Amino acid sequence: NAGVTQTPKFRVLKTGQSMTLLCAQDMNHEYMYWYRQDPGMGLRLIHYSVGEGTTAKGEVPDGYNVSRLKKQNFLLGLESAAPSQTSVYFCASSYSAHQPQHFGDGTRLSIL
Amino acid sequence: SQQGEEDPQALSIQEGENATMNCSYKTSINNLQWYRQNSGRGLVHLILIRSNEREKHSGRLRVTLDTSKKSSSLLITASRAADTASYFCATDEGGSYIPTFGRGTSLIVHP
């Protein structure tokens, strides 16, 4: 049972480039989340989804877009990367909002 | 946004000692969760405690919740070097149905 898998694990981008981070879960969870983690800031919610075909904004959504075309996948896109988006990105999933979240091991993204 | 706040920010102890970290929040909650994060890894869920519960145990972990003080504590008994990690609380306070995470307590257990 793989749980939550994030791809890629590391990436370096130049300012202005675009990329997509992929999150896949095999637990049939309805809810999926994207967070960023910066030193001293804890985890901040970027976007989340309560089911296939739905997305919603979190605390820090600017500069990011998401899609949930399939229940098991949640994609995070950066259309025009900025140095301020250098961070570690975590994906998580859960059965419902009040159930424990299962996390992937993160994507370390550097934007030069 | 409203979120739980852990205290202390950092804690350094010797193996075998107990470690206590606290989480405070500002408004009412339905539940509070504790997570652990090892260096370079994702968060792992430890315990969920509901607002009508006062204490929960899981192995060497003990979580208490005091809704009158709007605080929770996580106690790790007989700590081990392998307990070295960051510990986060997550609350659904303020009517948010999506939990928000605090900034964490960094625990170092010296062998």
Side-chain angles (χ1 to χ4, degrees):
Chain A
N1 190 341
V4 177
T5 302
Q6 292 185 231
T7 309
K9 296 189 186 316
F10 305 93
R11 186 72 184 268
V12 178
L13 291 178
K14 294 182 179 179
T15 298
Q17 288 186 318
S18 63
M19 80 161 295
T20 300
L21 280 64
L22 172 64
C23 177
Q25 53 96 3
D26 61 3
M27 296 170 283
N28 202 34
H29 286 167
E30 290 292 338
Y31 283 61
M32 296 188 74
Y33 316 82
W34 275 108
Y35 296 92
R36 60 177 290 172
Q37 186 176 36
D38 302 292
M41 296 296 292
L43 273 80
R44 292 184 291 172
L45 182 65
I46 304 171
H47 286 281
Y48 64 97
S49 169
V50 301
E52 181 179 315
T54 74
T55 63
K57 294 180 180 180
E59 179 186 357
V60 289
D62 293 343
Y64 305 95
N65 57 76
V66 288
S67 64
R68 183 101 181 264
L69 299 180
K70 294 183 178 181
K71 185 176 184 178
Q72 64 267 35
N73 295 337
F74 196 29
L75 279 63
L76 177 70
L78 285 73
E79 291 185 346
S80 180
S84 61
Q85 293 177 306
T86 293
S87 188
V88 182
Y89 292 86
F90 287 98
C91 176
S93 69
S94 65
Y95 281 113
S96 69
H98 298 294
Q99 292 298 310
Q101 295 184 22
H102 297 254
F103 283 79
D105 278 337
T107 294
R108 284 143 189 83
L109 183 61
S110 292
I111 301 171
L112 307 177
Chain B
S1 66
Q2 293 174 317
Q3 63 187 51
E5 289 294 338
E6 294 89 344
D7 173 70
Q9 290 187 348
L11 184 59
S12 181
I13 61 174
Q14 295 296 126
E15 208 166 32
E17 294 180 339
N18 294 342
T20 300
M21 51 207 85
N22 305 295
C23 173
S24 60
Y25 55 93
K26 294 183 173 60
T27 64
S28 63
I29 61 170
N30 293 308
N31 64 63
L32 184 147
Q33 303 179 55
W34 284 94
Y35 289 79
R36 163 190 170 135
Q37 183 181 32
N38 288 83
S39 180
R41 303 297 300 273
L43 277 69
V44 175
H45 183 262
L46 296 176
I47 289 181
L48 182 152
I49 187 165
R50 304 190 190 284
S51 59
N52 61 354
E53 298 176 310
R54 292 296 168 258
E55 186 170 314
K56 289 189 82 168
H57 295 256
S58 177
R60 293 183 296 112
L61 306 180
R62 172 179 171 242
V63 169
T64 60
L65 178 64
D66 187 335
T67 53
S68 66
K69 295 182 179 178
K70 295 184 172 56
S71 69
S72 173
S73 67
L74 170 65
L75 168 67
I76 304 173
T77 60
S79 62
R80 305 166 182 169
D83 293 328
T84 294
S86 292
Y87 293 82
F88 295 86
C89 70
T91 64
D92 60 354
E93 67 175 307
S96 170
Y97 71 102
I98 301 292
T100 56
F101 288 81
R103 299 183 183 189
T105 291
S106 175
L107 172 66
I108 297 176
V109 181
H110 299 280

